[in-house]
Every structure is written in C-alpha cells, then in structure tokens.
C-alpha cells in the first residue's frame, strides 16, 4: 500500500526554524513530482513548494521563497521542507503530496500524507 509519512512538525517560536520530512513507501518514488501543501483553520489548502522527479527543478510559492526550501533524496524516498524565520501566519497543517509525472487516470495518480501540525507562537 502506498504511504506518505510526515514528521518534524511541532511548536516553534517566531523566527525559529523547522525541518519537515516525508518518507514514501509502496510506490516508485522517483516517478512522482513531490509537493508540500498547507492549510490553516478556515482557509483553503495551498501549495507551498514543488520539486521535480530528479530534484532538478524546484518551485516555492512566491510569498515564501526567501524562507522555505524544498529538497528530495530518491535513494531514501524522502522529500524535505526546510522552513526558516517562521512567522505566526505559517501556522497550519502541512501535507506531503505525490503526483505522477505523466498522464494518469485512476486511483494511483496521486497520494497524500496525513499532515503534520506546525504552530508558530511565542
């Protein structure tokens, strides 16, 4: 069974840093574009960052480019989100997502992690 397991969330003070990790299993990790999303209470889920199958191309949402970095290690089936200079508005549940990098129709096109809570507060 396909699975994405996230870790690294928690409580951090404003200005602090967190490193979120997502470990994939049950599918061919290197065939999937990896993404991080976040969702704050009462708000829409938004994409934070994306990385290509090889890690050669990375994209971070414009309002986060100076503070967040995405990376992946295909040998470890892991995607990471480094978050620096955290602000209160970064508080949200952060989700790991995998999307196959080809045409796809059916249940195995994408997978989601369970989410990990990030709370930025003094």
């Amino acid at each position: 069974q396909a699975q994405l397991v996230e870790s690294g969330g928690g409580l951090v003070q404003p200005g602090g840093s967190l490193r979120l990790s997502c470990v994939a299993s049950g599918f061919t990790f290197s065939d999937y574009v990896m993404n991080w999303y976040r969702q704050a209470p009462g708000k829409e889920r938004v994409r934070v960052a994306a990385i290509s199958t090889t890690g050669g191309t990375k994209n971070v949402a414009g309002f986060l480019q100076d503070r967040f970095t995405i990376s992946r290690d295909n040998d470890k089936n892991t995607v990471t989100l480094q978050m620096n200079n955290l602000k209160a508005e970064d508080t949200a549940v952060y989700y790991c997502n995998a999307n196959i990098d080809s045409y796809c129709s059916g249940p195995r096109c994408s997978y989601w992690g369970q989410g990990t809570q990030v709370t930025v507060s003094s």
Side-chain angles (χ1 to χ4, degrees):
Q1 53 183 295
Q3 192 172 27
L4 298 172
V5 180
E6 296 141 315
S7 62
L11 176 65
V12 64
Q13 293 184 337
S17 298
L18 284 175
R19 186 177 180 88
L20 306 182
S21 294
C22 172
V23 180
S25 61
F27 64 97
T28 305
F29 181 74
S30 60
D31 287 344
Y32 287 74
V33 173
M34 298 302 298
N35 308 281
W36 285 98
Y37 288 76
R38 73 183 187 186
Q39 187 169 24
K43 296 189 176 181
E44 298 280 300
R45 184 175 298 187
V46 299
R47 182 151 58 186
V48 170
I51 187 167
S52 64
T53 56
T54 64
T57 302
K58 303 176 181 180
N59 292 106
V60 177
F63 58 97
L64 299 171
Q65 285 182 353
D66 293 337
R67 301 188 293 116
F68 286 22
T69 304
I70 189 170
S71 60
R72 70 188 293 162
D73 186 340
N74 286 351
D75 291 333
K76 298 180 179 179
N77 290 353
T78 300
V79 62
T80 300
L81 183 68
Q82 178 67 46
M83 306 186 295
N84 298 323
N85 192 24
L86 285 161
K87 304 176 180 180
E89 53 263 40
D90 296 319
T91 296
V93 177
Y94 284 72
Y95 297 91
C96 179
N97 164 259
N99 278 314
I100 195 165
D101 191 27
S102 63
Y103 173 78
C104 183
S105 178
R108 285 178 283 275
C109 302
S110 65
Y111 303 103
W112 289 87
Q114 78 288 349
T116 184
Q117 177 71 49
V118 172
T119 302
V120 184
S121 177
S122 59

